[in-house]
C-alpha cells in the first residue's frame, strides 16, 4: 500500500525539538516536490478517487457486492502502483502527496458509512474511526496554521490501512448465508478488529507527534 511518505519526505520521528527543522524548512522540502499536475501517478490517484462514488453506488444501490469488491481491488492495485511509478519515473509532486492519502481515507470513510447503512458492522465501530479522522483533520489544520506540512505517515498507519482495506471485501463476503460466508466471517472480523485498533493507535501517535512539533516551535520562538 502506498502512503504519503512515498510522495513526500518529512522530518524523522523523535527528532529533538532543539534540532528539529523550522516549519519554513519543512514546507520548503514539500514544495521541492514540484507542481506537476499531468503525471501518470496523479492520473491513477484521480481514477481511484472517481471510483469512490461508483463503489458507494454498487454497495447501496443494486447491492452488487461482487463488483464493489472488484472496484476496491482495482483501487488497491492503483494505490500500490502510483507511489512506485512516482519514484521510478521521477514524477513526485505536491498534488500527488495530497491525492494519495486522501483517496485512502475516502475509501475507508465511504465503506464504513455504507456498511453501517447495510448493518454489516455496528455503528460504534464507525463512530470511533470517524472521530479519529475528525481529530486528525483538526490536528492537520492546526499544524498548517503553525507552518508545518502534514505529518509523515507512521508505519502503524500503513499497517492499519492495509488491514482495513483487506477486511472490507471479506466483510462483504461474510454478509450472507453460504459456505463462503462461514469461512470469510472469522477472518474478516479479525482483520477489522486489528485494523481498527491499529488505526486508532496510529491516530494517537500522530496527535502526540503534532503536539511535540508545536511545543518545540513555541520553545524555539520563546528563546531570545
Amino acid at each position: 500500500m502506498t502512503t504519503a511518505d512515498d510522495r513526500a519526505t518529512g522530518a524523522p520521528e523523535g527528532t529533538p525539538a532543539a534540532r528539529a527543522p523550522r516549519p519554513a524548512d519543512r514546507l520548503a522540502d514539500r514544495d521541492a516536490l514540484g507542481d506537476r499536475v499531468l503525471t501518470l501517478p496523479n492520473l491513477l490517484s484521480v481514477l481511484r478517487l472517481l471510483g469512490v462514488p461508483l463503489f458507494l453506488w454498487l454497495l447501496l444501490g443494486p447491492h452488487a457486492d461482487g463488483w464493489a469488491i472488484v472496484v476496491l481491488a482495482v483501487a488497491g492495485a492503483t494505490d500500490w502502483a502510483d507511489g512506485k511509478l512516482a519514484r521510478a519515473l521521477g514524477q513526485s509532486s505536491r498534488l500527488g502527496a495530497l491525492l494519495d492519502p486522501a483517496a485512502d481515507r475516502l475509501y475507508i470513510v465511504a465503506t464504513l458509512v455504507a456498511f453501517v447503512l447495510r448493518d454489516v458492522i455496528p455503528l460504534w465501530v464507525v463512530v470511533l474511526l470517524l472521530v479519529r479522522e475528525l481529530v486528525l483533520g483538526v490536528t492537520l489544520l492546526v499544524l498548517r496554521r503553525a507552518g508545518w506540512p502534514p505529518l509523515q505517515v507512521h508505519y502503524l498507519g500503513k499497517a492499519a490501512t492495509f488491514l482495513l482495506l483487506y477486511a472490507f471485501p471479506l466483510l462483504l463476503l461474510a454478509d450472507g448465508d453460504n459456505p463462503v460466508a462461514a469461512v470469510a466471517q472469522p477472518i474478516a472480523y479479525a482483520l477489522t478488529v486489528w485494523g481498527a485498533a491499529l488505526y486508532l493507535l496510529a491516530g494517537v501517535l500522530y496527535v502526540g507527534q503534532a503536539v511535540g512539533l508545536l511545543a518545540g516551535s513555541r520553545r524555539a520562538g520563546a528563546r531570545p
Side-chain angles (χ1 to χ4, degrees), residues 78-203:
T78 57
D79 189 20
W80 172 84
D82 60 11
K84 301 296 182 184
L85 289 171
R87 294 192 300 275
L89 301 176
Q91 294 183 347
S92 299
S93 65
R94 292 195 299 271
L95 178 62
L98 294 173
L99 288 177
D100 192 51
D104 286 343
R105 283 187 167 86
L106 276 177
Y107 269 103
I108 289 175
V109 171
T111 305
L112 290 173
V113 171
F115 280 5
V116 166
L117 293 176
R118 287 188 47 178
D119 294 325
V120 175
I121 56 176
L123 178 60
W124 64 268
V125 174
V126 177
V127 170
L128 279 177
L129 297 182
L130 291 183
V131 166
R132 184 259 197 198
E133 290 300 317
L134 178 62
V135 170
L136 276 190
V138 173
T139 301
L140 291 176
L141 286 176
V142 173
L143 281 175
R144 189 67 183 179
R145 290 195 63 180
W148 294 93
L151 296 172
Q152 186 176 4
V153 176
H154 194 276
Y155 73 93
L156 284 180
K158 300 178 190 179
T161 302
F162 177 85
L163 289 173
L164 288 175
L165 290 181
Y166 272 85
F168 292 157
L170 289 174
L171 285 170
L172 287 176
L173 292 175
D175 187 29
D177 297 317
N178 53 70
V180 174
V183 173
Q185 192 174 71
I187 302 173
Y189 288 169
L191 289 176
T192 301
V193 170
W194 279 104
L198 290 179
Y199 206 62
L200 292 173
L201 178 58

Side-chain angles (χ1 to χ4, degrees), residues 203-215:
V204 172
L205 293 176
Y206 289 142
V207 172
Q209 186 181 356
V211 170
L213 291 173
L214 294 170

